[in-house]
Structures are given as C-alpha cells and as structure tokens.
Amino acid sequence: MSEALDYAKWQIAEHMTKVLNKLRNDESPEVPVKDLYATIERPKEAKMGDYACPCFRFAKPLRKKPQEIAEFMANELNENPGDWLEGAETVGAFLNLRVNMNALSSYIFSAVADDSLFKKVAELEARKKVMIEYSQPNTHKVFHVGHMRNVALGDSLGRLYEYCGHPVTMANYIGDEGTHIAKCLWYIRKNSYEIPVEGRGEWLGEMYSKASIMLEDAEGDDKQRLKDEVSEVLKEIESKDGDTFNFWNESKQWSIDDFNEIYDWIGARFDHWFSESEVSEESQEIVTEYKDKGVFVEDDGAIGLDLKDDKLGFVLLRKRDGNTLYATKDLALARRKYEQFNIDKSVYVVGSEQNLHFKQVFKTLEKMGFEQAKDCFHLSYGMVVLPSGKMSSRKGNIIKFNDLKDALTKEMNEKLAKYKGEWTEEEIAAVNHKLCVGAIRYGMICSDPAKDIIFNLEDWTSFEGNTGPYLMYAYARTKSIIKKAGAQGLVANASHSKLLKEDDERELLRFLNDFNNVVLQANETNRISTLAHFLFNMCKCYNRMLSNVSILKAESEELKSARLALLDAFAAILKTGLGLMGIETSERM
Ligand code: ARG
C-alpha cells in the first residue's frame, strides 16, 4: 500500500473528508479518507495550485452536482483551511488547492533530518524477494560501451528495489560456453598466437572478432572447411578433457577478471554468479524429464515444444546432435533461481533482440507447470549506437571499455585542470572518477529503456543539459553555498520555514515532496528513467531558484537560515536520488 506516501496529501485529505462528509444525508455512505487521497492529483499546470480535486467522483455517493460540491468545499476550506491548506479555488467541478508551505516545509525538513523520509517507501511496501540478473557478458568477447547500458540499468534497478524495501540478490550469468568460444580458441590455435602477458581478456575479445570476420568472409568449400574446424574445437571443449578444454577453463578466467575490474570501476554489485556451463547438464535432464512427461515433443530427431498456438513458433530444446541450446539452459537457470534463492520475483535485464527468446522461455516454463513463470520479467532495452551509426567489429568502431574509460578520464581531467595546485592529486582523481561514472551511468539510464540511445561522449560529460555531471554539479554547488554560509556563522534553521514564500521555493518544495512517490513509480514500472527525468527537472527548478533568490544576501538572518534549511533538504534528497542511480556525489567540483 502506497497510501500515505505523500504525507501532505494525506493530511489534506483527512481535513477535506470531514468537510465533504458534511454534505451527506442519512442515505449516503460516508466517504473514506483514502478515497479523497486517491482522487486528489497534481494539476496539469503548477500555477493552478499544488493539488487539484475533481469533484465528479463524489457526485454519485453524495447525490449532488459536482460543481455544487466543489463550491461548497471551497467556501468551507477557505473559512477553515486547517493546518495543511492555505486556500482553495474552484474551476468548474475542480477544486484547486494551495498547500500551506510552512506545514509542508517543516515536515520535509524534519523527515530529511532524521532520515525517516528515506525509509518511508520501504515501510509501506510488502517485502518481496527479488533477483536481478544483469550484465551476463560472454567470455572471450569484447566488453564494450553497449554492455555498459545493461550494467547501469541492472545495478540501479537493484538499488531501486532495495530502497523500496525488497531484499535483492544481484546475479550475473556468464556466457562461458558455445560456438563463440570455439571460434576464438580456433583462431588462436590456427595462427599459433602467443598469449600476451597483459590485457589477456581484451586480447581474447580481439581474437574472437577476427575469427568471426574470417569465417564470414570465407567462401564456398573453404567456408565449410573452416566451420568444420571450429566444430572440432567445440567438441574438444565439450569432451571436458585435454589441452583445449584446459585452455578454455584457464582463459575464461581472464575475461572474468576483466569483468570484475569493470564492475569495480563502475560500482556494480553482484551477490551471485551463475554460468551457462554450470546449468548445461541440468538442462539436458529437464529435456529428458519433460519429454517423458509428454510436454516436449520430438521433431525430426530434435526435441522441442510447439508454441504456435501462442504465436511463439517452435522452441528447439535439444538439437539432433544431442546438444543443448541457449533456451534450454534458461529453463534450468530459472528453476535454480527459485529453488536455491527462494525468490518471489525474477528480473532479467537483457537487450531487446532477445524479446522473442524470453517470451518463449517464460511460456515454456509455464507449460512445464512452473508456477513462478508469471513472476519472471524481462526488462528489455534498446541498443547503444554511436553518432556514426551501429558499432561493428568489422568496421572497427567498437568502443571497448578501456578506451571508453580513458576517453572519459581525459575529458574530465581537462575540466578539472583548473583545480591543479589548489586540490590534492588524490582529490582530483577521486572527483574525476565519480564524474566519469556519473556521466556514463546517467547517459545510459536517462532515456526510456526501450529506446535506442546515441552514445556521445561530449554531450554526456557536459556540465550543462540533461547529464549526470549537471546533477552532480547542482549538489556540489549547494554544498559550497552551505559551507560559505557556515564560514559567516550562518546555519540552517527549519523553524523559520514560513518565510519561504517565493514561487521558486514553493515549486522546489513540491519536488522534494514528490521524491518518494516518483521512486516508487520508477520501481513499480521498472523504469529508472522516470527518476532521472524527475531529478533533472528538480535541479532545473533549483538552479532557477538560485538565480532568482539570494541565499547569503537574503533580507534577514531568519530568511537566510530558512533558505539554508531548504538547501539542506534539497541536497539530501538529490544525493539519495543520485545514489539510486549508482552516482556518488562530491562536495566540490
Ligand atoms: N550471455 C547472453 C548474451 O550475451 C545473455 C544472457 C541473458 N540471460 C539469460 N538468462 N539468458 O547474449
């Protein structure tokens, strides 16, 4: 229940319910507070008021005309607005309400100060155990900028769930078997390449790309011959014995070591690692079991499931050569997640090119009688493209993680160069790192996940516009004002909050009040972009306020301290919001 998430609205609803029920006669039922709470909304335009209440909802139970109800309410509320309202106005059957900003700010300031604001959502939500599977890179392949979108989305989704009270297990699922690996190992062997001393993970990725290009380019008999060679390598790996198998085992760790470095750099958490090779055998058992049960059928030597009635085609689960498939392994994985971890919900963060795959997997699970199939959710997302178009190893325009990191660091170093001498080297490096992470994470999640996005280093690292650094800068700016105030002996004082009367201050307070609701909404829709969008607008409002009202030069000491209290609350909420996106703030930049 998210009923009282907006505390101000609840207080207003309570007061209004008493007024509204004065209109009842003996036959009409009492209108409960929660009905009013549910009816009161944000008006389309801020200038119309802080909340609006469409009175149509109450016409039937009260047997009165909506407009009559609105007028009655407005009169009564203006006469006796209670602690939380300032006044009310009617527009037709709408009641536009102005909040008492003194009550609102006092509440927000104290709830931020004692941290209770940030625990509210978790207290209201029913706790569901959630597993978020994300990143899932394939070993022996290049980890590039496109993969970062998954990491940014998955990691922040986990943070959102946790904020909303759900125990979360963050899981990885490494693609450590299959043809792509055979191709890579085949190419290395064919060219008798020496293993480099450093950068082995990345080197494997390059070898894989070259192998794919070579195989694609081959023609006629040659093509078949090379393919056969790759199949041979695959068999050697699958034999679980011998040099090729051992090399597979050793080399996949090089990729995994690289992945771990990347996760450390960006601050992504994993509580458990699954791998494809680990569920392979179990997936064979599932095929046999459900073939015997008559759920899966044989078709021309292969085994699968006919999902044509569900418009999902035929799902192949065991090839004629007896080999298991990607989809088959997902059946074993899904089962394991629920059995081993006792979860209530399973989220898969995977690109939209696998939409059909997950529909098939979830449907197959359902046909197998796996009840939890309904609690499996595929968070699908679009591609990351470059301003010049799609990335491709053939064109050589793939931005590898390390190149991305170097380019970002260089860009930020230029921006921070002015602090050389003034700040220590360590501080510059630390702020640089935070900014790089903030830029990339924010760029990856600020758009609707379903949409393709264009990676543009210059835009994403800018301190202006809809970027991570812009939001981080708003925080640092606030902290610097608070520090300056402190040096002048000024401190925040929430008890003067009735002095906050400017429109900009009002608007900012409304943003602060909406924070929890937005987080909950982002969580319920699995859309972190909703939060990004909100924080961006909140910071725009904040910066507008700073250009219109002065903090340190305000008319009175009381007003200064009231505005400082507003800044404190803004900073705390922004920091929490950024934290949900995995972005760390810095006190100065
Ligand atoms: N490793 C796979 C790939 O790169 C993604 C795995 C997604 N997760 C899953 N449970 N199928 O395509």
Side-chain angles (χ1 to χ4, degrees):
M1 284 226 309
S2 53
E3 249 165 38
L5 204 46
D6 185 338
Y7 184 73
K9 188 161 111 173
W10 185 263
Q11 300 301 317
I12 291 167
E14 270 189 346
H15 182 63
M16 283 174 62
T17 309
K18 288 189 204 117
V19 178
L20 187 67
N21 280 317
K22 285 189 188 169
L23 286 175
R24 278 177 64 216
N25 58 31
D26 293 343
E27 286 125 67
S28 45
E30 189 145 341
V31 179
V33 182
K34 69 175 180 23
D35 278 15
L36 260 130
Y37 184 82
T39 308
I40 299 171
E41 55 190 32
R42 284 278 188 229
K44 301 225 161 36
E45 281 171 62
K47 64 172 193 287
M48 294 168 77
D50 302 307
Y51 291 109
C53 180
C55 295
F56 316 97
R57 265 293 290 276
F58 310 111
K60 222 180 191 177
L62 297 171
R63 301 182 191 195
K64 294 247 170 351
K65 290 205 181 87
Q67 198 158 339
E68 227 171 88
I69 301 175
E71 268 154 26
F72 172 81
M73 296 283 287
N75 281 336
E76 293 271 321
L77 292 172
N78 284 325
E79 198 125 305
N80 170 19
D83 294 337
W84 281 85
L85 279 179
E86 217 170 69
E89 239 169 60
T90 56
V91 178
F94 273 86
L95 194 57
N96 289 339
L97 305 156
R98 274 191 323 280
V99 176
N100 179 325
M101 284 293 149
N102 187 28
L104 180 65
S105 53
S106 306
Y107 160 69
I108 292 176
F109 296 168
S110 79
V112 167
D114 68 11
D115 232 29
S116 59
L117 189 92
F118 304 119
K119 300 197 180 101
K120 253 193 129 105
V121 190
E123 279 160 11
L124 291 168
E125 281 295 276
R127 293 159 67 82
K128 266 193 182 176
K129 273 181 105 179
V130 183
M131 177 173 278
I132 296 183
E133 184 213 291
Y134 75 113
S135 192
Q136 320 108 318
N138 293 332
T139 64
H140 303 77
K141 278 195 187 178
V142 179
F143 199 105
H144 57 73
V145 62
H147 294 108
M148 299 301 280
R149 188 167 191 198
N150 187 318
V151 177
L153 280 170
D155 178 74
S156 37
L157 202 57
R159 292 168 193 260
L160 267 187
Y161 273 95
E162 256 169 8
Y163 183 87
C164 295
H166 305 285
V168 176
T169 306
M170 301 298 274
N172 210 332
Y173 177 51
I174 300 294
D176 62 347
E177 63 175 23
T179 329
H180 73 278
I181 296 171
K183 284 183 191 170
C184 171
L185 301 194
W186 160 79
Y187 190 81
I188 293 171
R189 188 159 82 188
K190 196 171 180 62
N191 294 293
S192 329
Y193 281 125
E194 293 261 340
I195 298 161
V197 184
E198 269 175 47
R200 290 180 172 179
E202 225 177 84
W203 173 73
L204 289 173
E206 277 160 33
M207 295 297 107
Y208 166 74
S209 298
K210 288 193 174 150
S212 316
I213 294 175
M214 181 170 179
L215 287 161
E216 267 174 42
D217 287 351
E219 280 169 5
D221 289 351
D222 236 14
K223 199 170 186 103
Q224 195 49 48
R225 188 174 50 79
L226 299 185
K227 269 189 166 172
D228 291 344
E229 285 177 24
V230 174
S231 295
E232 203 45 49
V233 176
L234 188 61
K235 274 199 200 114
E236 287 172 40
I237 301 174
E238 282 168 355
S239 74
K240 295 198 162 62
D241 195 23
D243 288 349
T244 312
F245 170 75
N246 289 336
F247 185 54
W248 163 75
N249 219 356
E250 189 191 351
S251 58
K252 73 176 184 181
Q253 192 57 41
W254 303 338
S255 295
I256 295 175
D257 289 345
D258 270 14
F259 301 155
N260 270 319
E261 256 177 53
I262 296 167
Y263 301 146
D264 276 350
W265 183 83
I266 198 155
R269 175 188 116 203
F270 290 97
D271 305 311
H272 188 80
W273 293 61
F274 295 105
S275 69
E276 286 191 28
S277 64
E278 150 202 1
V279 290
S280 202
E281 238 166 81
E282 206 174 312
S283 73
Q284 286 286 20
E285 288 160 20
I286 290 182
V287 177
T288 312
E289 186 187 334
Y290 286 86
K291 162 86 182 30
D292 291 348
K293 283 185 179 161
V295 180
F296 299 163
V297 293
E298 208 168 316
D299 183 47
D300 197 20
I303 299 177
L305 178 63
D306 189 353
L307 293 177
K308 290 196 192 81
D309 285 348
D310 299 287
K311 298 205 166 54
L312 295 172
F314 186 85
V315 194
L316 193 59
L317 296 167
R318 185 187 283 162
K319 288 195 275 193
R320 268 163 65 182
D321 62 10
N323 274 331
T324 175
L325 286 117
Y326 176 56
T328 329
K329 285 182 267 191
D330 259 319
L331 304 177
L333 178 72
R335 213 160 69 166
R336 217 178 244 217
K337 285 179 178 175
Y338 278 94
E339 279 168 9
Q340 252 183 25
F341 293 87
N342 203 15
I343 53 171
D344 305 304
K345 182 173 180 178
S346 187
V347 180
Y348 298 72
V349 184
V350 185
S352 55
E353 66 282 0
Q354 295 194 25
N355 284 355
L356 176 64
H357 166 79
F358 280 103
K359 279 190 190 144
Q360 290 177 329
V361 167
F362 298 161
K363 193 43 103 187
T364 306
L365 287 166
E366 191 189 308
K367 302 264 178 200
M368 285 162 60
F370 184 77
E371 267 177 44
Q372 294 95 330
K374 63 177 190 324
D375 303 312
C376 290
F377 172 74
H378 172 204
L379 177 72
S380 167
Y381 62 88
M383 251 188 321
V384 180
V385 295
L386 301 178
S388 58
K390 223 174 135 172
M391 278 184 276
S392 96
S393 37
R394 179 179 290 277
K395 284 196 219 144
N397 66 346
I398 283 191
I399 305 183
K400 289 185 258 170
F401 169 76
N402 277 326
D403 297 339
L404 169 74
K405 185 173 94 177
D406 293 347
L408 281 169
T409 309
K410 186 165 163 274
E411 184 75 23
M412 289 306 177
N413 257 337
E414 279 163 23
K415 293 189 199 289
L416 296 172
K418 55 180 183 230
Y419 298 117
K420 266 206 179 127
E422 190 186 331
W423 300 4
T424 63
E425 293 278 314
E426 290 81 43
E427 186 177 1
I428 293 182
V431 175
N432 185 316
H433 178 218
K434 284 181 187 172
L435 278 167
C436 292
V437 172
I440 198 81
R441 277 193 182 251
Y442 190 84
M444 291 293 179
I445 60 178
C446 67
S447 315
D448 187 300
K451 289 200 183 117
D452 285 353
I453 52 173
I454 299 172
F455 170 70
N456 186 324
L457 187 100
E458 216 171 289
D459 289 353
W460 290 23
T461 54
S462 168
F463 279 52
E464 270 155 49
N466 191 8
T467 70
Y470 172 77
L471 303 193
M472 295 168 77
Y473 185 70
Y475 180 85
R477 188 177 179 198
T478 314
K479 285 292 168 181
S480 128
I481 298 173
I482 294 171
K483 207 166 153 198
K484 257 192 216 150
Q488 296 175 16
L490 288 168
V491 279
N493 189 338
S495 65
H496 298 308
S497 51
K498 63 175 174 303
L499 300 173
L500 300 173
K501 289 189 180 135
E502 301 297 326
D503 284 351
D504 291 323
E505 295 166 335
R506 253 191 120 85
E507 202 185 339
L508 184 61
L509 276 165
R510 269 187 2 199
F511 270 108
L512 303 185
N513 189 46
D514 280 344
F515 177 71
N516 274 332
N517 256 318
V518 172
V519 174
L520 182 62
Q521 198 197 337
N523 180 231
E524 283 174 345
T525 55
N526 293 296
R527 254 189 222 190
I528 188 83
S529 55
T530 308
L531 176 64
H533 187 72
F534 170 81
L535 292 178
F536 175 54
N537 284 330
M538 178 173 93
C539 287
K540 276 204 297 197
C541 164
Y542 172 74
N543 284 328
R544 205 163 45 233
M545 179 188 90
L546 286 191
S547 57
N548 292 334
V549 309
S550 170
I551 313 292
L552 302 176
K553 291 192 191 123
E555 294 96 84
S556 66
E557 298 301 289
E558 286 81 11
L559 185 56
K560 286 178 194 170
S561 64
R563 287 191 176 149
L564 283 171
L566 180 59
L567 260 57
D568 270 345
F570 165 77
I573 287 174
L574 178 58
K575 187 187 174 96
T576 306
L578 286 170
L580 292 173
M581 304 193 288
I583 301 174
E584 273 183 68
T585 49
S586 173
E587 303 260 316
R588 56 178 188 173
M589 65 176 52

